[in-house]
Amino acid sequence: MTSTELNALSASNNESSTEALAAFTPWLNQFLAYLKFERAYSLQTLTTYQQQLDSVARQLAASHPHWRELNQQHLQQHLLSCRASLKPRSLALRAAALRSFYRYLQQQKLIDHNPALYLKVPKFDKPLPKNLDVDQMHKLLDLPTEEDDLACRDQAILELFYSSGLRLEELVGANVADINWSEKLIRVRGKGNKERVLPIGRLAATALQRWLQIRPDFIGSEPDALFLSRQKLRISARHVRNRVKLWAKRQGMDQNVHPHMLRHSFASHLLESSGDLRAVQELLGHANLSTTQVYTHLDFQHLAKVYDAAHPRAKKS
């Protein structure tokens, strides 16, 4: 076969592959739009879902004409074929994306059942999130705020993270009007655009008030934003990550400190002091208690003690 014939065959195969993949695209785009506009998922989550489902479509489009033609066996075989290239955690993520996608199609009555519901993936150990101890947190929060305006702003950011257990997206999206000063509360919008109201600690409130005194110098095109940058824009998640990392280094800490570590430290320290798992769950905005249990590295023995002490049918007479 000549090079011309090979090029023509390759072009024909690429065209056929593109046509086959096109049949998978509309439902996928519809699902992503639902996650974006109705569930208010973050850009990072949307990108992850799209990448996972794109990979499935690209591999299966050549042998199956549409999402509706795929059954559990097809999907399970796809996951098996990926075991050499994907780690167990990535396989679990792909299976979760498929379950969510097909659940949406079922809810929209586009299919009768969810073929991804019982997909099996290798088990993996979830690493426990790291946290700073109380002394480390005090060291991080003891910023030289007299140094400059950014140090004042950054202390307010760090104090609010630790005081209220905010997610990074919640802090970045916070507005000045979200704070109720008389009650020392802040209203945040979390995952799925769900709102919750969180207390603001005394030191965090003081740091916020100091920041608000100099904040007018930062106001530009986004006057509602609680935290602003030198460019007079709402501060970005990337900028916050960089500032947290910078201050950890400047304060002489050798850990890789990031915003989520501050949220976990908040949860861990609060749980250690109160022992109230349900309250911590509510403050963190977790839908499931099991998420809070893992998040705060709570061991089974402690759960058993809570159960024995609190459940009406478990109390000893």
Side-chain angles (χ1 to χ4, degrees):
M1 185 176 289
T2 66
S3 60
T4 302
E5 290 172 328
L6 285 172
N7 290 336
L9 179 60
S10 176
S12 176
N13 288 339
N14 288 338
E15 184 177 349
S16 298
S17 175
T18 301
E19 290 178 358
L21 195 59
F24 282 70
T25 302
W27 281 10
L28 178 54
N29 288 344
Q30 185 177 332
F31 173 61
L32 293 172
Y34 163 76
L35 295 182
K36 179 178 181 180
F37 297 111
E38 296 193 35
R39 299 296 301 275
Y41 277 21
S42 68
L43 178 60
Q44 182 178 354
T45 303
L46 290 171
T47 301
T48 299
Y49 271 92
Q50 183 169 17
Q51 290 173 342
Q52 295 299 326
L53 295 171
D54 270 346
S55 295
V56 176
R58 290 182 184 281
Q59 182 167 329
L60 298 181
S63 54
H64 301 85
H66 200 274
W67 291 108
R68 69 167 70 89
E69 305 300 327
L70 299 175
N71 58 33
Q72 181 177 342
Q73 184 178 356
H74 298 143
L75 298 177
Q76 190 68 65
Q77 188 61 41
H78 166 75
L79 293 178
L80 288 173
S81 72
C82 295
R83 292 186 69 166
S85 58
L86 295 179
K87 295 180 179 180
R89 178 181 295 276
S90 298
L91 285 172
L93 180 60
R94 182 159 299 183
L98 284 166
R99 277 192 289 270
S100 182
F101 175 54
Y102 275 105
R103 182 167 58 247
Y104 164 77
L105 297 179
Q106 190 176 16
Q107 291 170 349
Q108 298 298 311
K109 302 189 184 305
L110 296 172
I111 58 174
D112 294 328
H113 66 283
N114 185 345
L117 190 59
Y118 300 108
L119 291 176
K120 297 178 181 179
V121 293
K123 292 184 178 180
F124 63 92
D125 294 329
K126 293 183 179 180
L128 293 172
K130 297 178 181 179
N131 67 285
L132 301 172
D133 62 34
V134 175
D135 289 339
Q136 290 171 324
M137 280 303 313
H138 285 319
K139 184 176 183 179
L140 176 62
L141 296 173
D142 188 22
L143 302 190
T145 53
E146 70 283 352
E147 182 176 307
D148 60 24
D149 291 348
L150 291 183
C152 182
R153 180 203 63 189
D154 293 346
Q155 186 177 44
I157 288 174
L158 294 172
E159 289 281 5
L160 187 58
F161 267 133
Y162 183 53
S163 162
S164 307
L166 272 64
R167 297 181 176 95
L168 175 57
E169 294 79 8
E170 293 169 347
L171 181 132
V172 168
N175 294 323
V176 174
D178 292 328
I179 299 178
N180 180 336
W181 287 107
S182 62
E183 300 291 334
K184 295 293 191 298
L185 299 171
I186 182 170
R187 183 180 299 276
V188 299
R189 288 159 291 280
K191 289 185 177 180
N193 210 28
K194 294 179 181 177
E195 289 190 351
R196 69 187 193 283
V197 177
L198 301 169
I200 301 173
R202 177 178 57 83
L203 294 177
T206 300
L208 281 167
Q209 288 168 346
R210 283 199 301 264
W211 156 243
L212 289 177
Q213 289 176 3
I214 62 175
R215 179 180 167 277
D217 295 336
F218 290 75
I219 294 177
S221 60
E222 300 184 66
D224 296 332
L226 178 57
F227 293 111
L228 297 160
S229 68
R230 280 289 193 200
Q231 290 71 38
K232 299 188 176 183
L233 299 171
R234 182 184 294 273
I235 198 168
S236 69
R238 180 179 180 182
H239 192 83
V240 173
R241 290 191 195 96
N242 290 339
R243 297 298 291 185
V244 170
K245 187 174 183 179
L246 170 69
W247 282 113
K249 184 177 181 180
R250 291 184 62 176
Q251 295 297 86
M253 306 177 71
D254 55 7
Q255 297 99 321
N256 178 26
V257 181
H258 50 82
H260 199 68
M261 186 181 287
L262 306 185
R263 173 172 158 87
H264 180 56
S265 301
F266 156 84
S268 298
H269 300 167
L270 189 60
L271 186 65
E272 289 168 6
S273 299
S274 69
D276 194 332
L277 187 60
R278 288 289 183 185
V280 175
Q281 176 194 4
E282 189 72 21
L283 289 168
L284 291 173
H286 286 163
N288 300 312
L289 188 63
S290 59
T291 308
T292 313
Q293 176 190 338
V294 173
Y295 200 95
T296 54
H297 52 236
L298 194 64
D299 60 38
F300 180 79
Q301 286 185 335
H302 181 82
L303 278 178
K305 290 179 181 178
V306 171
Y307 178 85
D308 289 341
H311 197 286
R313 306 287 279 185
K315 292 179 180 178
K316 296 179 181 179
S317 56

